[in-house]
Amino acid sequence: MPNIFKRILRRDSPPTPLHSPQATQFEGSGIRSSSDIPDPITERRRSSKHWGPRAANYANRAARRSTDSRRQTSTSATSSPETTGKTRPAGLKDPLLILRRSVFASWINVLLVLVPVGIASHPAHFPDVAVFIINFFAIIPLAKLLGYATEQLALHLGDAVGGLLNATFGNAVELLVGILALVKGEIEIVQTSLVGSILSNLLLVGGCCFFFGGIKNNEQVFNSHAAQSYGSLLAMAILATLLPAAYNSLNAKDAELKSGTLTMSHVTAIFLLIIYIAYLFFQLKTHTNLFSAVPLEERREAARKPSDNEPNAEEESSGASNADCTRAASNEELMTQSPHDITIGVTPAHSQTAATSTAELVKNNADIVEETKEPVSEEAVLETKTEQAEKDNNADDEEDEEEVELTILASMALLAIVTGLTGVCAEFLVDSIDGLTDKWNLSPSFVGMVLLPIVGNAAEHVTAVTVAIRNKMDLAMGVAVGSSIQIALFVMPLLCILGWIIDKPMTIYFSPFTTVVLFVTVLLVNYIIGDGRTNWLEGLVLIIAYIIVGVAYFLYPKDMDTTSSSFGSSG
């Protein structure tokens, strides 16, 4: 019986326009279909409802082939030498090319002109204030060059070795200044510079990232799993500093307390290094997925301000109204076909059955048109968004892709030269601290807590704020918080063990004031980064907290001992 109605519909119904809603129909329904090839992504949604499992599998395979071919075309287009513009790495045979690429790697390198002046200032017997200021600004571009050489070397040696190099040379300035000050017996400068680096990275660098990134973006998201790992490691470092402070509050003999504090510091330093090595292995080998960046679409969705969503809501409501009008017109046109007109030539015995079947056929036809109308519109928008997201991801990958500019030997040579220059400038800087504190009536705690960390972290400050403004908070968090973890779990215990070797009373015991500041700082930062979202207000809170800490150390009494440097009498 249905075949009779199919022939009647083909003979008596008026021709249907090619692109009308009625023209979109499935095979065997009696409604003519368009000659255009259906979009595989659209048909994949329809097939599971109307065509059955075999047709659905075919549509899925066609959609996958279409997507794979599009990705291959995009990859081949972006990876071709003509479009990438990659150049050959500079080797030792091209010293001028190495110099040009190194110097022009960042605008901070304009301060390199101060390096020879800073080196010559000490033999020329410049005033201590002038020596400090010149070498203060000369170390900033050297720190940037150290980071550049380390990154180039890491591109050749892989992630594991690259992570170890970044851990070693990422805070090379703090390490060199600490070693030189430790050899000269400046225990207070060493300890305050380490704590100052942690505070500077967490409060100043992190606060500037959140503040300036939040001004441009509504909210910024980052990997909450990585943030929780950072928070637990920082809490472990705080525990290592709290225990010696609590131990020294016991009512015991001074000699016994000093001996116990030194032993506790040495043992704790060994275990902190073990934890840091395990952290590198955890991040680079076993659980790399926990430190992956948040997808670009999610970052852009969080960064979109409320004012940007209003036009989209109006467009969606307008599109929904148009779709409703189209479906209503389609249903009205289909329902105007009378069953009596369609059943011409049918015997009276089957008239009632034919009318009922034809009415059901027309109703099903209207339902099919109504069902297929919405997925077509949604899929078209979805496909457009998907293609745009793929383009954005490709652009983001191209932007993040680091190009190898130096060979291995050239990177190692640049790293050795810059490390040597940094060591010379750092030595003159440390020698001029006493003259600076006497001339300007500053406490060594303020110099070590505020001024020296700014020198060592200036290049990282610029890098972190730049990537935060570009809505890459995972990278900014790795620079700001990751650098603090390196100081707390790598540089500080390493200097403690080095002092043990050269018989210097270097411990991880700080004064109660410094310990409280460090504890509250880590607690505040953990509260802010725990949810994986930030805004400009949270950044402002961190910046103001750093200013308050800086004022407190500026007013700190000059003659008071802020660290365990009093152990020097027993060492």
Side-chain angles (χ1 to χ4, degrees), residues 448-467:
M449 190 71 65
V450 178
L451 297 183
L452 292 183
I454 293 177
V455 176
N457 299 324
E460 295 175 350
H461 289 195
V462 177
T463 301
V465 174
T466 301
V467 298

Side-chain angles (χ1 to χ4, degrees), residues 28-50:
S29 63
I31 304 297
R32 286 196 296 268
S33 60
S34 172
S35 60
D36 297 334
I37 299 175
D39 179 46
I41 298 180
T42 304
E43 298 304 324
R44 181 173 56 184
R45 289 280 301 270
R46 299 176 184 171
S47 59
S48 60
K49 295 182 179 179
H50 303 287

Side-chain angles (χ1 to χ4, degrees), residues 159-430:
D159 291 338
V161 182
L164 184 60
L165 288 175
N166 286 324
T168 305
F169 292 97
N171 295 286
V173 175
E174 291 89 343
L175 190 60
L176 290 174
V177 171
I179 292 174
L180 294 173
L182 183 62
V183 173
K184 296 178 182 297
E186 299 286 348
I187 307 297
E188 185 176 1
I189 295 296
V190 177
Q191 293 185 327
T192 54
S193 64
L194 293 177
V195 177
S197 296
I198 297 174
L199 297 179
S200 175
N201 283 304
L202 291 179
L203 297 179
L204 184 59
V205 181
C208 290
C209 291
F210 299 161
F211 180 74
F212 291 104
I215 291 177
K216 183 179 179 181
N217 307 280
N218 183 41
E219 268 193 331
Q220 293 183 291
V221 295
F222 49 87
N223 195 326
S224 59
H225 298 289
Q228 292 173 2
S229 300
Y230 294 151
S232 62
L233 292 173
L234 288 174
M236 181 63 202
I238 295 302
L239 176 64
T241 60
L242 283 176
L243 290 179
Y247 178 79
N248 275 268
S249 65
L250 299 176
N251 187 12
K253 297 180 180 180
D254 291 341
E256 186 177 357
L257 289 177
K258 291 178 181 179
S259 175
T261 302
L262 280 174
T263 304
M264 182 184 299
S265 298
H266 296 158
V267 174
T268 304
I270 294 175
F271 283 105
L272 287 179
L273 287 177
I274 293 175
I275 291 176
Y276 185 72
I277 295 173
Y279 158 67
L280 288 180
F281 187 74
F282 180 84
Q283 182 182 15
L284 300 176
K285 285 295 183 182
T286 61
H287 290 74
T288 55
N289 59 310
L290 296 182
F291 296 87
S292 59
V294 176
L296 181 62
E297 255 330 289
E298 187 175 347
R299 281 182 280 154
R300 289 188 172 179
E301 182 66 24
R304 189 176 295 114
K305 297 183 178 181
S307 58
D308 298 336
N309 294 330
E310 294 178 358
N312 295 334
E314 294 177 358
E315 292 177 2
E316 290 178 1
S317 61
S318 176
S321 300
N322 294 335
D324 294 337
C325 294
T326 303
R327 287 195 297 270
S330 301
N331 295 337
E332 183 178 358
E333 183 178 353
L334 287 172
M335 296 303 295
T336 53
Q337 297 181 8
S338 174
H340 178 71
D341 297 334
I342 298 177
T343 55
I344 298 176
V346 183
T347 60
H350 301 286
S351 176
Q352 184 177 1
T353 306
T356 304
S357 301
T358 306
E360 292 178 356
L361 178 63
V362 173
K363 181 179 179 181
N364 293 334
N365 178 59
D367 293 337
I368 292 173
V369 172
E370 183 176 359
E371 290 178 1
T372 58
K373 184 65 180 178
E374 290 183 357
V376 171
S377 178
E378 292 177 1
E379 287 295 340
V381 176
L382 181 61
E383 184 180 5
T384 304
K385 290 182 178 180
T386 304
E387 293 177 354
Q388 183 65 30
E390 290 179 357
K391 293 180 181 178
D392 294 337
N393 287 330
N394 292 333
D396 192 59
D397 293 339
E398 291 175 2
E399 189 176 3
D400 290 340
E401 184 180 359
E402 297 185 23
E403 188 172 332
V404 179
E405 298 181 353
L406 303 179
T407 61
I408 297 180
L409 294 179
S411 302
M412 295 177 64
L414 179 63
L415 191 62
I417 294 173
V418 175
T419 303
L421 293 175
T422 305
V424 175
C425 292
E427 182 178 3
F428 295 158
L429 183 73
V430 172

